[in-house]
């Protein structure tokens, strides 16, 4: 896993622009702490920061393919292709020769052999740029599910690109500017494919190419979810899902560095950990190492809420004992969560203050601790979107609402529940200008217009296909981006087995009645993995990523809000509702301010540290 960046300029000689490329590349150091590299051509400049995972010595980048002393192709590449060994063997049969053992070189030769069609053969998570000196063309490619990020910024004579916005913003020609649409995207709980919030910047959509040449820039799609008839019966479906999971986990255990799993004690992470334990044992390796996040006093003082009925700790420990994992809890306290340095690191990692408050900080701190012992971690992310795990999948009001179901279920407030909203402290005039409900409605209609159907999709089955599509193309992007930024901020590679496109395609087309055949959430996943799980874990009801329940956390937020209210130079002040701010900071105030306070405090730090201009 790595950080990539680059610059294409058809009107300039980029060999004279090393300081600018070095500055762009330096912003990616967190994603690639092991090595740095640059490559220059007259009209192309590539930068790379490497996190060495496969072929430690031979996988340095940017990487080129030479023939008769001339460069045929160059790449700056981030990600992992899990079937690279099979592809390498096939390419060798076709006459290709390799000088390294890396998957990066396999991608280069795959493109030389099959062109853009090579992406149809790649199984993995990746974002990469290819420059062909012969045609003077650039190709930007992003994996099918959007696990790895990739942004671009068209210029009058080419393009800038990078794994994260910060790489592009390091270019002197780019100014961080956010307009009304960008601010609406930031505040609402949406993740519009291709939208990057910053004006003029775009994100390469999952499953898409961006091709750049002297004629301009074109975007094309190479993969999308399709509606296909599901003909397997229930037993065959369960068996096929298990076979896929066994293959996926085994592939994603390949690494030349220490590896672990992230274990919450929920069905998803427990299934991955148990399957990993079994695969490692079959290879004569192990035990599997696992990590969980926890908070001081959380289990002992846990109070159930609308989203979480149980604390994670007992379930994580039960699974770890069941598979004999080498398990460690990362236990955090409120002072650590509120530490200004940690919160600044999270903001720097995400580039934008659109996160999940203490959930982001705790995730960052979990990954920071994991990185001390492992370089690669397997996660249970995305199983809920694929198998129908969230409670709103099973809430008729949320399912039938004329908006994104997670918004209808109240998730735009906060993961921890409650009635507060992210926009609670913002000026009413600003909110009127942004028209957040209208923005959400437009994005919802755009998403629905993409949904593929079968002729037989009617009634509830048709609606649940829509709900699944919304989660697999919108909601999951919020969580994948969050996990990628938090992990790569500390140089940890997180793999997401449930995002294997073969599994996603198969389960997407499985009828909803079969996905809930036992009347519960994630019926198919539970049935497919029950034999490797203790009953306590297999029967556990979905509980989202934990959020601290320590009342001192809310008090600390309120104290920070009071400091902000007293700071006349606070850059976020013009955006706030004075009355709402006064009520939130009043003595003895007890109203829930967490989502609004976390957004406002984050926006203030963002505006102050990045110099972003709001043009509303």
């Amino acid at each position: 896993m790595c950080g990539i960046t680059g610059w294409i300029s058809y009107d300039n000689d980029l060999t004279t622009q090393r300081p600018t490329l070095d500055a762009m590349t330096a912003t990616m150091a967190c994603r690639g702490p092991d090595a740095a590299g640059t490559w220059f051509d007259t009209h192309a400049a590539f930068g790379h920061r490497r996190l060495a995972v496969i072929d430690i010595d031979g996988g340095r980048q940017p990487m080129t393919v030479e023939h008769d002393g001339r460069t045929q192709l160059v790449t700056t590449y981030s990600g992992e292709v899990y079937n690279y060994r099979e592809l390498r063997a096939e390419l060798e049969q076709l006459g290709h020769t390799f000088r390294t053992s890396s998957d990066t070189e396999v991608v280069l030769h795959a493109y030389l052999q099959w062109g853009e069609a090579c992406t149809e053969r790649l199984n993995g998570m990746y974002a990469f740029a290819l420059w062909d000196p012969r045609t003077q063309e650039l190709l930007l490619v992003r994996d099918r599910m959007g696990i790895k990020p990739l942004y671009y910024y068209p210029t009058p004579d080419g393009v800038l690109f990078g794994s994260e916005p910060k790489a592009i913003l390091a270019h002197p020609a780019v100014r961080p500017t956010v307009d009304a649409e960008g601010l609406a995207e930031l505040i609402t709980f949406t993740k519009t494919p291709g939208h990057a919030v910053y004006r003029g910047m775009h994100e390469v959509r999952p499953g898409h190419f961006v091709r750049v040449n002297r004629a301009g820039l074109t975007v094309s799609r190479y993969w999308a979810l399709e509606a296909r008839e599901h003909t397997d019966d229930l037993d065959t479906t369960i068996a096929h899902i298990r076979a896929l999971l066994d293959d996926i986990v085994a592939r994603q255990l390949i690494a030349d560095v220490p590896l672990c799993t992230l274990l919450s004690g929920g069905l998803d992470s427990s299934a991955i950990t148990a399957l990993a334990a079994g695969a490692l044992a079959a290879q004569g390796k192990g035990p599997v190492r696992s990590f969980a996040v926890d908070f001081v006093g959380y289990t002992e003082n846990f109070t159930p809420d609308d989203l979480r009925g149980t604390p994670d700790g007992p379930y994580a420990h039960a699974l770890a004992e069941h598979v004999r994992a080498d398990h460690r809890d990362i236990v955090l306290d409120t002072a650590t969560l509120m530490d200004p340095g940690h919160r600044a690191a999270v903001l720097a990692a995400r580039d934008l203050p659109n996160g999940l408050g203490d959930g982001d900080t705790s995730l960052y701190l979990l990954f920071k601790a994991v990185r001390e012992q492992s370089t690669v971690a397997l996660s249970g992310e995305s199983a809920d979107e694929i198998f129908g795990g969230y409670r709103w999948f099973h809430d008729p009001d949320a399912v039938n609402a004329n908006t994104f179901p997670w918004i209808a279920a109240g998730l735009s407030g906060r993961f921890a529940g409650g009635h507060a909203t992210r926009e609670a402290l913002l000026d009413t005039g600003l909110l009127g200008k942004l028209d957040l409900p209208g923005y959400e409605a437009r994005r919802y209609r755009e998403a629905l217009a993409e949904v593929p159907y079968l002729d037989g999709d009617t009634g509830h089955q048709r609606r649940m296909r829509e709900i699944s599509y919304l989660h697999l193309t919108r909601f999951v992007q919020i969580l994948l981006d969050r996990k990628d930024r938090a992990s790569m901020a500390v140089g940890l590679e997180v793999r997401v087995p449930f995002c294997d496109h073969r599994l996603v395609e198969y389960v997407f087309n499985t009828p909803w009645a079969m996905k809930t055949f036992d009347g519960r959430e994630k019926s198919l996943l539970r049935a497919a993995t029950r034999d490797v799980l203790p009953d306590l874990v297999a029967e556990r009801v979905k509980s989202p990523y934990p959020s601290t329940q320590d009342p001192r956390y809310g008090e600390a937020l309120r104290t920070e809000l009071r400091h902000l209210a007293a700071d006349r130079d606070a850059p976020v002040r013009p955006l706030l509702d004075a009355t709402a701010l006064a009520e939130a900071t009043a003595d003895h105030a007890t109203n829930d301010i967490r989502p609004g306070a976390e957004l406002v405090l984050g926006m203030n730090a963002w505006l102050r540290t990045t110099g972003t201009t709001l043009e509303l």
Side-chain angles (χ1 to χ4, degrees):
M1 203 57 56
C2 306
I4 67 174
T5 190
W7 181 8
I8 305 300
S9 175
Y10 292 107
D11 293 344
N12 293 285
D13 181 357
L14 295 185
T15 61
T16 66
Q17 299 296 322
R18 182 176 294 275
T20 296
L21 185 69
D22 286 346
M24 296 169 67
T25 305
T27 66
M28 296 291 94
C30 59
R31 298 185 71 92
D34 297 330
T38 56
W39 181 90
F40 289 87
D41 198 358
T42 304
H43 300 302
F46 279 10
H48 190 268
R49 291 290 314 204
R50 186 179 185 217
L51 176 64
V53 173
I54 294 175
D55 191 3
I56 306 301
D57 296 325
R60 296 182 181 276
Q61 296 188 50
M63 186 178 289
T64 61
V65 174
E66 313 286 338
H67 182 69
D68 291 337
R70 303 183 68 176
T71 300
Q72 288 185 293
L73 198 63
V74 60
T75 190
T76 181
Y77 165 92
S78 170
E80 305 291 350
V81 171
Y82 302 121
N83 63 333
Y84 77 99
R85 291 174 173 173
E86 297 97 311
L87 289 174
R88 177 183 173 125
E90 183 178 359
L91 288 163
E92 286 175 332
Q93 289 291 319
L94 292 169
H96 293 258
T97 58
F98 293 85
R99 55 187 172 82
T100 77
S101 300
S102 71
D103 58 331
T104 304
E105 189 178 15
V106 171
V107 171
L108 279 168
H109 284 269
Y111 183 78
L112 287 174
Q113 179 66 39
W114 298 301
E116 291 181 359
C118 73
T119 54
E120 299 170 10
R121 299 168 177 263
L122 303 182
N123 178 304
M125 55 179 188
Y126 46 81
F128 58 87
L130 292 167
W131 173 253
D132 189 332
R134 302 163 300 179
T135 62
Q136 298 282 287
E137 285 191 326
L138 173 78
L139 187 70
L140 301 176
V141 183
R142 192 171 180 209
D143 66 67
R144 294 172 179 86
M145 289 296 291
I147 306 167
K148 290 291 101 183
L150 184 56
Y151 294 82
Y152 65 100
Y153 185 95
T155 64
D157 71 328
V159 72
L160 302 164
F161 67 87
S163 292
E164 299 177 8
K166 59 177 63 70
I168 295 169
L169 295 174
H171 192 283
V174 181
R175 296 288 180 266
T177 304
V178 174
D179 56 23
E181 181 178 281
L183 192 57
E185 176 76 11
L186 187 155
I187 295 172
T188 56
F189 218 79
T190 59
K191 184 71 169 69
T192 306
H195 206 303
V197 176
Y198 290 104
R199 190 164 66 190
M201 192 182 297
H202 309 273
E203 190 172 22
V204 179
R205 291 187 63 157
H208 280 65
F209 304 117
V210 175
R211 183 173 289 280
V212 182
N213 55 33
R214 291 183 180 274
L217 181 151
T218 57
V219 177
S220 57
R221 186 181 71 191
Y222 70 88
W223 180 87
L225 285 169
E226 297 177 355
R228 299 170 185 166
E229 196 73 41
H230 186 84
T231 58
D232 292 342
D233 62 20
L234 178 60
D235 289 343
T236 304
T237 298
I238 292 170
H240 185 65
I241 288 171
R242 175 56 178 270
L244 281 172
L245 287 172
D246 284 337
D247 178 71
I248 292 164
V249 171
R251 288 179 183 276
Q252 297 197 19
L253 289 173
I254 297 173
D256 296 332
V257 292
L259 180 145
C260 68
T261 69
L262 305 175
L263 175 61
S264 71
L267 176 62
D268 316 338
S269 64
S270 295
I272 295 299
T273 300
L275 293 174
L280 289 172
Q283 299 170 21
K285 302 176 182 178
V288 64
R289 293 198 295 177
S290 59
F291 294 85
V293 69
D294 202 353
F295 306 102
V296 174
Y298 187 75
T299 298
E300 299 84 348
N301 303 299
F302 181 80
T303 301
D305 59 31
D306 291 342
L307 287 181
R308 299 175 184 84
T310 52
D312 286 347
Y315 299 87
H317 296 162
L319 190 283
E321 182 178 352
H322 186 73
V323 301
R324 295 185 172 87
D326 177 6
H327 181 75
R328 178 185 169 194
D329 291 325
I330 307 302
V331 183
L332 308 174
D333 59 23
T334 293
T336 304
L337 291 172
M338 289 300 297
D339 182 277
H342 295 153
R343 295 167 69 201
V346 171
L347 178 61
R350 298 208 65 166
D351 289 310
L352 294 166
N354 61 343
L356 301 175
D358 74 290
D360 280 352
T361 309
S362 64
L363 190 68
Y364 165 80
L365 292 169
L366 167 65
F367 289 160
K368 186 177 181 182
V370 171
R371 184 62 176 88
E372 294 175 0
Q373 299 185 47
S374 291
T375 307
V376 174
L378 271 63
S379 165
E381 197 78 83
S382 307
D384 288 303
E385 289 79 7
I386 296 166
F387 290 99
Y390 296 118
R391 63 179 176 84
W392 50 83
F393 272 93
H394 311 274
D395 177 355
D397 290 337
V399 166
N400 296 316
N402 192 29
T403 187
F404 296 107
W406 54 90
I407 291 178
L411 203 63
S412 57
R414 57 190 279 244
F415 262 106
H419 301 291
T421 61
R422 288 157 62 86
E423 62 268 26
L425 299 177
L426 299 182
D427 177 70
T428 54
L430 171 66
L431 293 175
K433 182 181 295 185
L434 297 179
D435 184 19
L436 300 182
Y439 184 81
E440 290 172 347
R442 290 196 302 276
R443 295 312 190 193
Y444 174 69
R445 290 194 296 270
E446 290 172 2
L448 275 190
E450 299 172 5
V451 179
Y453 302 99
L454 292 175
D455 291 341
D457 285 339
T458 59
H460 192 57
Q461 167 59 26
R462 180 182 176 90
R463 181 54 177 165
M464 294 315 296
R465 185 183 288 279
E466 293 174 346
I467 297 296
S468 296
Y469 187 89
L470 295 175
H471 281 82
L472 291 170
T473 63
R474 268 60 176 183
F475 191 74
V476 77
Q477 287 297 303
I478 298 172
L479 302 183
L480 289 175
D481 184 68
R482 168 180 177 255
K483 185 151 284 185
D484 173 85
R485 300 301 190 88
S487 61
M488 295 309 294
V490 297
L492 176 71
E493 175 179 306
V494 173
R495 298 176 177 176
V496 280
F498 287 114
C499 276
D500 186 293
H501 70 278
R502 298 170 298 164
L503 180 66
V504 173
E505 291 171 344
Y506 186 77
V507 180
F508 174 68
N509 283 296
T510 303
W512 181 250
M514 191 176 287
K515 291 179 185 178
T516 55
F517 73 88
D518 63 358
R520 294 195 57 185
E521 80 286 354
K522 290 185 286 195
S523 306
L524 292 174
L525 177 59
R526 183 176 293 102
T529 59
R530 185 159 199 139
D531 65 305
V532 296
L533 302 174
D535 289 342
L536 179 70
V537 172
E539 293 300 327
R540 188 186 183 194
V541 175
K542 167 68 182 177
S543 183
Y545 183 85
S547 178
T548 180
Q549 294 185 339
D550 187 346
R552 290 173 293 183
Y553 181 76
E555 294 166 6
L557 287 176
R558 204 179 303 274
T559 297
E560 285 204 12
L561 268 187
R562 291 189 178 109
H563 291 319
L564 186 151
D567 181 2
R568 296 184 178 276
D569 296 323
V572 79
R573 283 287 294 273
L575 306 179
L576 304 184
D577 182 295
T579 301
L581 183 61
E583 291 175 353
T585 57
D587 292 339
H588 310 300
T590 59
N591 54 318
D592 182 10
I593 64 165
R594 280 177 62 170
E598 287 169 336
L599 177 67
V600 165
L601 293 171
M603 288 179 66
N604 195 59
W606 168 60
L607 293 170
R608 177 164 279 159
T609 59
T610 65
T612 296
T613 300
L614 299 180
E615 295 187 358
L616 308 177

